[in-house]
Amino acid sequence: MLDEHPDVTAIFAANDVMAFGVVRTALDRGLRIPEDLSLIGFDNIEFSAIVHPPLTTIHQPKYEMGYAAIEILLRLARDKNWQTPEHRLLGVEMIERQSCREARVQPPRASRKS
């Protein structure tokens, strides 16, 4: 993607491990993170805090997700006829570290009047 779109300034990776791959690829191409390319991962795995630069990432509430899954499985085990899908919405949190720089806002272009 970086070869096809050299003007890209930010990437949001589907997970932290993929973000580590982006770091490697960026370094191989001489790009600096966050100076040339801002990067955000997803999952907040433990290594995200210790890579260089520390990865900005989206934290998922893993414990709460597991707890909710077990509750639903126990309900299914107790009530064999239960078929209503259950949806649970759990919040996420952005963990700001050092892999993103502030947005570069370009001034609006002056409009031309005819």
Side-chain angles (χ1 to χ4, degrees):
M1 184 183 83
L2 291 173
D3 290 338
E4 294 177 21
H5 304 281
D7 55 336
V8 167
T9 60
I11 293 178
F12 178 46
N15 58 60
D16 290 351
V17 173
M18 289 179 76
F20 300 154
V22 172
V23 170
R24 173 72 187 260
T25 301
L27 291 173
D28 289 348
R29 286 164 174 70
L31 298 173
R32 300 166 299 157
I33 295 175
E35 294 84 356
D36 302 319
L37 183 67
S38 290
L39 178 61
I40 297 178
F42 193 93
D43 289 332
N44 192 29
I45 63 175
E46 291 180 22
F47 287 113
S48 299
I50 62 172
V51 296
H52 182 75
L55 182 66
T56 295
T57 185
I58 305 299
H59 173 77
Q60 297 187 89
K62 295 172 190 75
Y63 178 84
E64 290 83 356
M65 291 167 64
Y67 192 89
I70 294 299
E71 282 185 326
I72 292 168
L73 286 172
L74 289 174
R75 184 171 176 186
L76 278 168
R78 283 191 304 267
D79 183 359
K80 303 285 186 209
N81 296 321
W82 180 62
Q83 294 182 2
T84 305
E86 185 168 326
H87 299 277
R88 303 230 181 146
L89 184 61
L90 302 174
V92 296
E93 175 186 2
M94 185 166 83
I95 307 298
E96 294 184 51
R97 294 194 180 110
Q98 297 170 5
S99 64
C100 289
R101 65 180 288 173
E102 290 188 34
R104 294 175 235 162
V105 178
Q106 296 190 8
R109 294 183 182 179
S111 60
R112 293 185 183 183
K113 293 186 178 182
S114 308

